[in-house]
Amino acid sequence: MPSATTSLRRPHDDESDDDQDSPDPSTPSTSGSSNKRARLSLNGDATPSSRILPSRSYATPRHHSSQVESLHSRPSRKKHQPGSILRVKLTDFVTYTAVEFSPGPSLNMVIGPNGTGKSTLVCAICLGLGWGAQHLGRAKEVGEFVKHGCQEAIIEIELAGDRVYPEAVIRCRITREGNKCAFYFNGSPSSKKEILKVARHFTIQIDNLCQFLPQDKVVEFAAMTPVELLRSTQRAVAPQEMLDMHEELKDLRKQQKIVEERNASGQETLASLENKQRMQQADVERMRERNDIQQRIKYLEKSRPIWHYRDALKDFQLAKEKGKIVTAELKNLQKEVEPALRAVNAKQAYQEQIGQVVEERKETTVKVEKKADNLDLKLKELHERSEGFVNERHAEIESGKKSKAETVRLEGNITRLKKQIDEPPPDLDVSAVNEKNGKDVQKRQGDNTRNGRQKSEQVHNAQRDLQNLESQAGQRNKKLFTLAPDTFKAWEWLQKNQDKFERKIYGPPLVECSIKDPKWVNQIESLFSDSQFFLFTSQSREDFAKFTHIMHEELKLSNVNTRPMTGGLDEFRPPVSMEELRQYGLEGWALDCIDGPEPVLAMLAYELRLHATAISSRDSTPREYDEIQRSAIDNWVTSKNIYRIIRRREYGPSATSATVKPIRKAQKWTDQPVDMSAKQKLQEDIQGWTEEIASLDQQNRELQVELIAIRERIGDTKKQQADLMKEKHEKQKLLGEYKALPTKLGTQPLPPTNQSHTNPPKMHKSKS
């Protein structure tokens, strides 16, 4: 890179150089074939050690220092127009360490091979006059124009003055830290707005491609329409009055077109309405006739009740006449049938009297029947009582016979009960049975309960860990929904419809990938553009076409991008080995710092060349920077910057240029995704422990059933014990009655032999 301050000024006349045949090697040449930028040694002498072109590109200097001094001292036949650039001085700007240009008053041309700094001069003019980097089409931030290894750059531009600004020296200081620009006008601090005001005063239009055309804006210039070219040309050469008149002319032409269009539209509408009126004239006549007929029908409808009334009045007159005739006939008939009616009325009165008598006799018959029924019931009761007395007599006779047999039976029962009393049944210890059978079941239930509590606690802890893992995935999906809603909808649809594709389609790197070590997250994320975080990856061309059609045509999602990746990760090899990489102070490759599915990593290697981008946790030193620049590594990222080397092979191995960008703070991979292996292990543990808990619950239910059965058996045993005790009491009672029989028999009087049949014996009272 050039480091000397070199003054380049074109000659102002066409004088001969015959007097320059004796070159002075200590003075740098200013001819077109000489070295463009020379490096000064510590004592100020020019040395060829910093040439950037091959040796054959340099010619022998032909001019002496006296030639340069004469160019500065001789007056020019032409003068600089107001606003012309008199001098451009750069310090630590892009590739220049210190350089000064002095353009002439006429056409100036800067000629040299690529990479020698021609475009750098154009960039300096743009930034030094107050315009932004967006007019250059290169770097986005002004801090990127500071030379590598330096903190600030200085641009100083001197313009030819006029009566308003007799002296115009603009100085711009660019600071890398914070991308700041400070302006000075004639040595005093100024603002960017004031510098632009001065530039516009001199009709300097950096934003006009017809006046200022950078190399990266040529395509945009070629795409301009003739109208845009005319407007830009007028801005560049015409005064403001001409521009205002042109704009006024354009407005008048627009108004004229609007009036012409309205006139043509009105003529067409008028012709259409006239034609429509002619076509509808016959319909109008028929409509009028129809309206007349409808009006006549309305009048006739209103007169309809009058004719109905007339018809009804005629019918009423006829009915009235007919009623008079019928009334007269009725009177005549009543006179004729009057004797027969008197006989019929007499017979009806006699029939009523007969009916009253019949009713009275029916009531009397009912009363007599009731009295007969009561007498019959009394007779039956007396008959039944007589039969009862006879039966009682026979029963007393039979009971005397049965009492003797009953006495014999009781004596046998008493003998048997005595034997049973002498041999008591074995005692049943219910508490012992309960303790023996229930303790074992309760112990097993307690063991199962303790095991179940332990398993439940393990399941609870595992579920809590699983929720912690899944919460990270939820945060990642929420971030995807916030940054790219269409991509989030596509990702949700894809998770539910993976079976519609031949091979699996992977989601965006934001959710599929993660950074292995959080210390690399800023460097890795700075290599991505915003859209590359949301790319889907398909493994076949057919799935790529199908997925793209569904997203754009069926679901109408516009911001969804997919990349087909049919190859594997083996196709992407790093340019140098790890040993050579560490010699340059670099620690690894960017692709090795990302964890994710292999197709997604292969897509990122293809899109971003992550397999060939080195990474380091510290910034490169100047020596390491020079060594890396001479190596096969084109891209590397450090703790502060991203470096990209552009090599021009056609101009030799030294024709290189570098781009330096600061890294950004991570905003997307700020948390790591779910560890799928840990999640799967937790899910398997939860499933196993849940099955064990279900098995223990089943065992507890079975033990509960067994415990209920034992309790039922205990209840049955207690019931049997109660029955035995009841039977014992009954037998003891019978034994007491048996022992009391002799006493009862001694006090019982014997029945008399001449006792009446109506007084049966009372032997049944002593029956026990």
Side-chain angles (χ1 to χ4, degrees):
M1 297 181 183
S3 60
T5 303
T6 306
S7 177
L8 303 178
R9 183 180 296 274
R10 297 183 57 199
H12 300 292
D13 52 15
D14 299 323
E15 294 180 359
S16 174
D17 354 321
D18 295 336
D19 55 345
Q20 302 171 2
D21 294 338
S22 300
D24 187 358
S26 63
T27 303
S29 174
T30 58
S31 64
S33 61
S34 63
N35 184 10
K36 183 177 181 181
R37 294 187 296 272
R39 184 183 299 272
L40 296 178
S41 62
L42 295 177
N43 56 5
D45 298 334
T47 60
S49 59
S50 60
R51 294 178 179 176
I52 61 171
L53 296 178
S55 59
R56 63 178 180 273
S57 301
Y58 296 90
T60 304
R62 297 182 300 165
H63 302 290
H64 299 280
S65 58
S66 60
Q67 173 74 17
V68 177
E69 292 175 357
S70 63
L71 289 176
H72 283 282
S73 60
R74 282 202 303 264
S76 174
R77 290 179 297 178
K78 293 183 179 180
K79 293 184 179 180
H80 288 79
Q81 295 295 325
S84 300
I85 297 175
L86 299 179
R87 179 174 56 87
V88 178
K89 182 179 179 180
L90 308 177
T91 304
D92 294 330
F93 185 78
V94 188
T95 57
Y96 293 107
T97 301
V99 67
E100 182 174 336
F101 299 91
S102 298
S106 299
L107 178 64
N108 293 270
M109 299 181 65
V110 182
I111 302 173
N114 290 343
T116 56
K118 303 184 299 299
S119 299
T120 303
L121 177 60
V122 175
C123 296
I125 294 173
C126 175
L127 299 178
L129 293 177
W131 270 267
Q134 68 272 15
H135 298 286
L136 299 173
R138 291 197 169 191
K140 295 182 179 179
E141 304 292 342
V142 294
E144 299 180 15
F145 288 92
V146 179
K147 185 180 179 181
H148 174 68
C150 300
Q151 295 300 321
E152 65 177 16
I154 297 176
I155 304 171
E156 185 173 317
I157 301 175
E158 182 179 356
L159 303 177
D162 59 0
R163 288 179 297 176
V164 179
Y165 296 103
E167 183 181 359
V169 179
I170 300 172
R171 183 183 179 89
C172 174
R173 175 178 293 165
I174 301 174
T175 305
R176 181 189 297 273
E177 186 70 25
N179 293 313
K180 297 180 180 178
C181 290
F183 290 93
Y184 301 86
F185 184 69
N186 292 332
S188 300
S190 181
S191 63
K192 183 177 180 180
K193 184 176 180 181
E194 293 295 330
I195 299 301
L196 290 175
K197 180 179 178 181
V198 172
R200 291 193 177 95
H201 171 75
F202 289 115
T203 322
I204 298 174
Q205 301 171 1
I206 299 297
D207 55 348
N208 190 349
L209 296 181
C210 289
Q211 189 180 101
F212 183 83
L213 181 60
Q215 179 179 352
D216 296 315
K217 294 287 186 175
V218 173
V219 176
E220 183 178 344
F221 177 76
M224 293 177 64
T225 62
V227 176
E228 294 174 344
L229 287 173
L230 175 60
R231 184 174 181 276
S232 297
T233 304
Q234 286 180 343
R235 286 182 57 205
V237 300
Q240 185 63 34
E241 292 78 5
M242 184 175 180
L243 294 177
D244 296 339
M245 293 173 62
H246 187 209
E247 292 297 328
E248 184 178 0
L249 181 62
K250 288 165 62 177
D251 294 338
L252 292 174
R253 177 55 182 166
K254 288 180 181 178
Q255 295 176 5
Q256 181 184 4
K257 286 184 178 180
I258 293 173
V259 172
E260 290 177 352
E261 290 176 357
R262 289 179 180 176
N263 187 20
S265 176
Q267 293 293 336
E268 292 177 358
T269 304
L270 178 60
S272 175
L273 292 176
E274 290 177 350
N275 187 21
K276 186 176 181 180
Q277 183 180 12
R278 288 192 297 271
M279 295 175 62
Q280 293 179 349
Q281 185 174 1
D283 296 337
V284 171
E285 294 296 332
R286 288 195 296 271
M287 182 61 68
R288 289 175 179 173
E289 293 177 0
R290 182 174 179 274
N291 292 336
D292 294 340
I293 294 172
Q294 287 180 347
Q295 190 68 24
R296 185 178 180 186
I297 290 173
K298 288 181 181 179
Y299 293 151
L300 293 175
E301 288 291 338
K302 290 180 179 179
S303 63
R304 184 191 296 271
I306 298 174
W307 296 101
H308 288 169
Y309 172 76
R310 291 178 180 178
D311 294 338
L313 183 61
K314 290 180 180 179
D315 295 338
F316 173 74
Q317 296 293 339
L318 293 175
K320 187 175 180 180
E321 295 295 332
K322 189 175 180 180
K324 291 179 180 180
I325 295 171
V326 171
T327 302
E329 292 178 354
L330 178 61
K331 289 180 179 180
N332 294 330
L333 290 174
Q334 287 177 350
K335 291 179 181 179
E336 292 177 0
V337 300
E338 185 177 358
L341 286 176
R342 286 196 297 269
V344 171
N345 292 332
K347 289 180 180 181
Q348 287 180 352
Y350 178 73
Q351 185 180 2
E352 291 177 357
Q353 293 176 0
I354 295 297
Q356 293 177 358
V357 174
V358 170
E359 290 294 331
E360 292 177 356
R361 291 185 178 182
K362 282 183 179 181
E363 292 178 357
T364 304
T365 303
V366 171
K367 292 179 180 179
V368 173
E369 288 179 351
K370 287 183 178 180
K371 290 181 179 180
D373 291 337
N374 292 331
L375 292 174
D376 185 58
L377 289 174
K378 290 181 179 179
L379 182 62
K380 287 181 179 180
E381 289 178 358
L382 293 173
H383 183 67
E384 289 177 355
R385 289 179 64 186
S386 63
E387 288 182 353
F389 290 143
V390 175
N391 292 332
E392 287 179 359
R393 177 62 181 168
H394 289 294
E396 289 176 354
I397 296 172
E398 293 293 332
S399 65
K401 295 179 181 179
K402 291 181 179 179
S403 61
K404 294 180 180 180
E406 183 68 21
T407 303
V408 175
R409 187 182 66 79
L410 290 174
E411 290 177 353
N413 288 337
I414 291 169
T415 304
R416 180 174 56 80
L417 290 173
K418 285 181 178 182
K419 290 181 180 181
Q420 290 181 358
I421 291 171
D422 295 335
E423 299 177 357
D427 295 333
L428 180 62
D429 192 356
V430 179
S431 62
V433 175
N434 185 16
E435 183 177 1
K436 180 180 179 181
N437 296 329
K439 282 186 177 181
D440 183 46
V441 175
Q442 292 177 353
K443 181 179 179 182
R444 292 163 60 188
Q445 277 187 334
D447 295 338
N448 290 340
T449 302
R450 286 191 296 273
N451 293 334
R453 289 176 181 173
Q454 293 177 358
K455 300 299 180 183
S456 299
E457 185 176 358
Q458 292 175 350
V459 170
H460 176 72
N461 294 333
Q463 287 177 346
R464 182 183 59 195
D465 296 339
L466 183 61
Q467 289 176 357
N468 292 335
L469 290 175
E470 290 178 347
S471 63
Q472 297 176 6
Q475 292 176 3
R476 191 64 59 81
N477 288 333
K478 183 178 180 180
K479 187 172 294 185
L480 178 63
F481 173 76
T482 303
L483 298 175
D486 288 355
T487 306
F488 176 77
K489 294 177 182 177
W491 173 234
E492 282 194 331
W493 181 92
L494 180 62
Q495 289 178 311
K496 299 176 183 178
N497 300 274
Q498 280 283 4
D499 54 348
K500 295 184 178 181
F501 303 97
E502 297 178 359
R503 303 183 67 182
K504 182 178 179 180
I505 296 180
Y506 293 91
L510 180 62
V511 297
E512 293 282 5
C513 299
S514 61
I515 307 301
K516 295 180 180 179
D517 193 342
K519 73 177 182 178
W520 302 117
V521 65
N522 291 336
Q523 288 93 324
I524 297 299
E525 191 167 317
S526 298
L527 297 173
F528 284 71
S529 64
D530 291 340
S531 61
Q532 288 168 340
F533 282 99
F534 312 121
L535 294 176
F536 289 84
T537 305
S538 65
Q539 302 185 67
S540 65
R541 295 286 180 179
E542 293 76 11
D543 290 345
F544 167 75
K546 185 176 181 180
F547 182 74
T548 303
H549 176 76
I550 292 174
M551 293 297 106
H552 294 170
E553 301 298 333
E554 297 182 7
L555 301 182
K556 304 298 183 182
L557 300 177
S558 59
N559 193 17
V560 177
N561 299 315
T562 312
R563 295 292 185 269
M565 181 51 59
T566 57
L569 197 59
D570 299 336
E571 299 178 2
F572 302 96
R573 301 290 183 182
V576 298
S577 63
M578 288 297 297
E579 292 75 10
E580 186 178 355
L581 188 69
R582 292 190 179 95
Q583 293 177 1
Y584 302 134
L586 304 175
E587 302 175 25
W589 303 104
L591 187 63
D592 297 334
C593 300
I594 302 177
D595 188 14
E598 182 176 341
V600 180
L601 296 180
M603 184 272 293
L604 294 178
Y606 177 78
E607 287 284 327
L608 301 173
R609 292 182 55 81
L610 296 182
H611 66 289
T613 301
I615 191 167
S616 176
S617 59
R618 61 177 180 82
D619 202 6
S620 300
T621 63
R623 184 183 62 82
E624 291 173 344
Y625 176 84
D626 295 337
E627 292 178 355
I628 296 173
Q629 193 173 14
R630 291 192 295 269
S631 67
I633 301 174
D634 294 335
N635 304 316
W636 75 96
V637 57
T638 65
S639 60
K640 295 182 179 180
N641 300 311
I642 300 174
Y643 297 89
R644 299 186 187 277
I645 302 298
I646 303 173
R647 292 182 171 85
R648 303 283 185 173
R649 305 295 183 185
E650 62 273 17
Y651 298 119
S654 300
T656 60
S657 60
T659 302
V660 183
K661 293 182 179 180
I663 65 172
R664 305 187 305 268
K665 185 177 180 181
Q667 297 179 352
K668 299 178 176 61
W669 273 320
T670 53
D671 56 289
Q672 297 300 310
V674 177
D675 187 350
M676 299 307 295
S677 60
K679 179 180 179 181
Q680 184 177 2
K681 184 177 183 303
L682 286 174
Q683 290 176 344
E684 292 175 356
D685 292 342
I686 291 172
Q687 183 177 2
W689 292 332
T690 305
E691 292 176 357
E692 291 181 10
I693 292 173
S695 176
L696 292 174
D697 290 341
Q698 181 64 27
Q699 293 178 12
N700 279 340
R701 286 194 293 270
E702 294 175 357
L703 291 175
Q704 187 68 24
V705 172
E706 185 177 351
L707 185 60
I708 292 172
I710 291 173
R711 289 175 179 172
E712 290 178 354
R713 289 199 298 271
I714 292 172
D716 295 339
T717 305
K718 289 182 177 180
K719 186 177 180 182
Q720 291 176 5
Q721 185 181 15
D723 294 340
L724 290 175
M725 295 299 294
K726 183 178 179 181
E727 185 178 357
K728 179 180 178 181
H729 290 309
E730 289 178 354
K731 289 179 180 181
Q732 289 177 351
K733 183 179 180 182
L734 290 174
L735 180 60
E737 291 178 354
Y738 171 72
K739 290 181 179 181
L741 282 177
T743 305
K744 291 182 179 181
L745 289 175
T747 59
Q748 184 69 33
L750 294 175
T753 56
N754 57 355
Q755 189 176 3
S756 175
H757 291 288
T758 61
N759 297 320
K762 302 299 182 180
M763 289 295 293
H764 61 279
K765 291 183 179 179
S766 62
K767 184 178 179 181
S768 52

